Amino acid sequence: AQSVTQLDSHVSVSEGTPVLLRCNYSSSYSPSLFWYVQHPNKGLQLLLKYTSAATLVKGINGFEAEFKKSETSFHLTKPSAHMSDAAEYFCVVRSYTGRRALTFGSGTRLQVQP
Amino acid sequence: DTAVSQTPKYLVTQMGNDKSIKCEQNLGHDTMYWYKQDSKKFLKIMFSYNNKELIINETVPNRFSPKSPDKAHLNLHINSLELGDSAVYFCASSQTQGNTEAFFGQGTRLTVV
């Protein structure tokens, strides 16, 4: 079985300060991990993905995430938040075997204060 | 060109009605999905089709029936709509080989009154 836990349901930062959204995963096999972003009343957009290549993954809009197998974590970071980053962020896991559908975390709402 | 498109974007209907949501992907993917997003933003898989074959069928009421006429289409039909069916429904597609990401449609906001 596979699952993801997003440790914060809500994160608030000031514009220009760093962003950290935390995610822990559980998977029987080496997983693929993704971060998706959902802006209000919009669909889901892929930010970045880890598929067993480099452990530090760079995505769009300055986001990056580091895969740490020993900690079973895949935290999302950005050095400097922008107002347009305010959205819901989902950590997602997909196993290489068995059920191949994406399993979503519960989401983290990122609020960016001016 | 929209990769995954679903129609309609908004659907308001009365309890007891039957409605359908259509989804089409032009990415050449072999797997398509329906996800339901509840009012707390939680996304849960409902169905998955691979090459027109149902491979995941989560515990959803029998009133929900997916139909895949071909690899590029996965429609969702809902009978006897209930208030609790109100949610946003997302269609998605992916390629099984390579374990790549899924591409999502813009969602259909279903409101049952």
Side-chain angles (χ1 to χ4, degrees):
Chain A
Q2 57 190 30
S3 65
V4 285
T5 302
Q6 292 185 241
L7 299 167
D8 307 292
S9 60
H10 182 251
V11 170
S12 182
V13 300
S14 297
E15 192 174 19
T17 64
V19 175
L20 170 64
L21 305 184
R22 298 182 295 165
C23 172
N24 286 111
Y25 70 91
S26 171
S27 179
S28 303
Y29 302 93
S30 294
S32 286
L33 292 159
F34 311 88
W35 277 97
Y36 281 82
V37 61
Q38 185 180 26
H39 288 93
N41 299 314
K42 299 287 186 187
L44 292 144
Q45 181 184 18
L46 179 71
L47 269 182
L48 50 78
K49 64 180 178 182
Y50 166 77
T51 54
S52 77
T55 56
L56 182 62
V57 181
K58 294 189 184 298
I60 61 171
N61 300 334
F63 284 94
E64 61 182 40
E66 187 171 7
F67 174 74
K68 292 187 176 179
K69 188 174 180 179
S70 60
E71 299 176 9
T72 61
S73 69
F74 190 57
H75 301 333
L76 182 70
T77 59
K78 182 173 180 177
S80 176
H82 192 272
M83 294 296 290
S84 61
D85 294 329
E88 192 87 21
Y89 290 80
F90 294 95
C91 183
V92 182
V93 64
R94 184 182 187 189
S95 175
Y96 278 106
T97 62
R99 284 172 55 100
R100 301 181 64 87
L102 303 181
T103 300
F104 280 75
S106 54
T108 298
R109 172 158 293 188
L110 175 64
Q111 194 173 17
V112 182
Q113 308 283 359
Chain B
D1 247 0
T2 304
V4 182
S5 60
Q6 30 180 135
T7 55
K9 189 172 181 182
Y10 299 97
L11 185 52
V12 181
T13 187
Q14 291 187 325
M15 282 174 53
N17 283 350
D18 302 339
K19 289 293 178 186
S20 292
I21 306 172
K22 295 187 176 182
C23 179
E24 176 182 4
Q25 55 97 1
N26 63 5
L27 297 165
H29 289 162
D30 60 2
T31 304
M32 295 185 73
Y33 313 87
W34 278 109
Y35 281 84
K36 180 180 180 181
Q37 186 174 44
D38 63 24
S39 58
K40 296 187 176 177
K41 301 291 185 184
F42 186 67
L43 277 141
K44 189 169 184 213
I45 181 96
M46 298 174 70
F47 302 104
S48 173
Y49 269 76
N50 178 261
N51 286 319
K52 298 182 1 179
E53 181 184 346
L54 181 65
I55 57 172
I56 294 175
N57 184 355
E58 288 297 284
T59 308
V60 299
N62 290 337
R63 300 180 294 103
F64 289 79
S65 55
K67 293 278 192 307
S68 181
D70 56 56
K71 272 176 36 172
H73 296 83
L74 179 62
N75 303 323
L76 183 65
H77 189 74
I78 316 171
N79 290 326
S80 303
L81 278 154
E82 300 177 357
L83 293 176
D85 297 333
S86 296
V88 181
Y89 293 85
F90 284 98
C91 176
S93 73
S94 69
Q95 191 63 26
T96 306
Q97 289 292 335
N99 216 27
T100 58
E101 69 273 24
F103 291 78
F104 285 80
Q106 287 300 296
T108 296
R109 182 174 294 275
L110 172 65
T111 304
V112 183
V113 297

